[in-house]
Amino acid sequence: MVKPILAEDRARRIPPGQTVVTKLPVLSYGPAPRTDLQSWDLKLVGEVVAPVRLDHTQWKALPRVSEIADFHCVTTWSRLDNRWEGVKTSELLTLVQLKPGARFAIILCDGGYTTNLTLEEFLGEDVLLADRLDGQDLSRDHGYPLRLIVPRLYGWKSAKWVRVIEFSAHDRPGFWEVRGYHNHGDPWREERYSEDDDSGDDSGGVEIV
Ligand SMILES: Nc1nc2c(c(=O)[nH]1)N[C@H]1C(S)=C(S)[C@@H](COP(=O)(O)O)O[C@H]1N2
Ligand SMILES: [Mo]
């Protein structure tokens, strides 16, 4: 059952079960990859009329924004007021034309990490591909040179070291989503693990022991 959201939690901007930290912790499965900007690229593939490849110079030439957003990790820490800089995911639609069948965005990262989002959530107005945090280039541990930021979902959707965005007709649960994390991950509804899934089938979940 979905618990009601308390007005006091909303006012403090702290979802249920979360504790505020002042410094952004590092949460990574596996080591931070080393990236050579000369060979780095970002690819937009899948259900698109023509795939796109951007090198780092082309990436840096895209229209940029800055936003302040809270970050909530399922391991119960939240860091408020992170200042991210980068490019809105919706800006990508000026580069690729999606085919009508595109319904999901699958994010593929250096090192093999993946995560999945509905197209609607991927294109949310506060969703960024970020390359700077709090006035500095991302550190390697936080995703240098490029990460996704999805403020309204738990942190595992904010993939670090993003290299490929695959638009897909079908959902494809990512690294943590196949290891028992919720497929959606709304912190305000405490959609932490697949057993918290109210939407029906959670047979795709694998128990972590
Ligand atoms: N490529 C990759 N991205 C990732 C992860 C990861 O292990 N690999 N961990 C996720 C999790 S669980 C969280 S909470 C955030 C943490 O981001 P931070 O380390 O910058 O705080 O990154 C997310 N993105
Ligand atoms: Mo996390």
Side-chain angles (χ1 to χ4, degrees):
M1 209 191 71
V2 175
K3 287 178 232 158
I5 296 167
L6 299 177
E8 67 194 70
D9 286 346
R10 263 289 180 223
R12 293 186 308 147
R13 290 155 42 208
I14 305 167
Q18 296 294 111
T19 303
V20 170
V21 297
T22 51
K23 201 169 162 276
L24 188 67
V26 172
L27 234 290
S28 311
Y29 188 89
R34 288 194 179 277
T35 306
D36 167 23
L37 288 189
Q38 295 301 317
S39 57
W40 182 90
D41 59 11
L42 176 68
K43 294 194 181 105
L44 312 177
V45 302
E47 296 288 313
V48 294
V49 174
V52 165
R53 174 185 177 272
L54 297 172
D55 65 22
H56 195 255
T57 308
Q58 292 167 320
W59 162 259
K60 281 290 186 185
L62 295 177
R64 299 176 61 81
V65 296
S66 162
E67 81 177 22
I68 294 180
D70 301 339
F71 194 99
H72 309 294
C73 173
V74 70
T75 63
T76 74
W77 55 262
S78 292
R79 187 183 190 245
L80 306 182
D81 293 325
N82 306 282
R83 177 178 284 281
W84 303 104
E85 293 168 53
V87 174
K88 281 182 178 230
T89 48
S90 55
E91 185 69 33
L92 302 178
L93 299 183
T94 64
L95 305 172
V96 280
Q97 191 186 340
L98 299 186
K99 290 186 180 172
R103 290 183 48 217
F104 298 91
I106 313 297
I107 317 301
L108 305 143
C109 307
D110 262 341
Y113 187 87
T114 61
T115 193
N116 57 311
L117 295 150
T118 64
L119 186 61
E120 194 186 12
E121 284 192 293
F122 175 72
L123 296 174
E125 44 97 13
D126 57 350
V127 179
L128 284 192
L129 283 159
D131 49 23
R132 287 171 65 79
L133 167 61
D134 296 339
Q136 296 186 314
D137 286 348
L138 286 179
S139 67
R140 268 179 65 214
D141 277 337
H142 288 304
Y144 173 87
L146 187 64
R147 74 178 301 167
L148 187 65
I149 289 297
V150 189
R152 281 181 281 183
L153 298 177
Y154 280 123
W156 80 80
K157 297 287 186 183
S158 292
K160 302 190 276 193
W161 313 297
V162 173
R163 290 296 297 274
V164 180
I165 296 161
E166 180 189 333
F167 297 97
S168 174
H170 306 284
D171 198 9
R172 190 176 349 128
F175 180 88
W176 281 122
E177 291 85 357
V178 301
R179 288 169 175 80
Y181 282 17
H182 198 281
N183 199 47
H184 182 226
D186 180 346
W188 292 97
R189 293 170 178 267
E190 286 207 84
E191 292 172 342
R192 296 176 187 273
Y193 307 107
S194 50
E195 65 260 31
D196 306 324
D197 193 341
D198 284 324
S199 69
D201 182 23
D202 66 358
S203 58
V206 176
E207 200 180 331
I208 310 175
V209 288

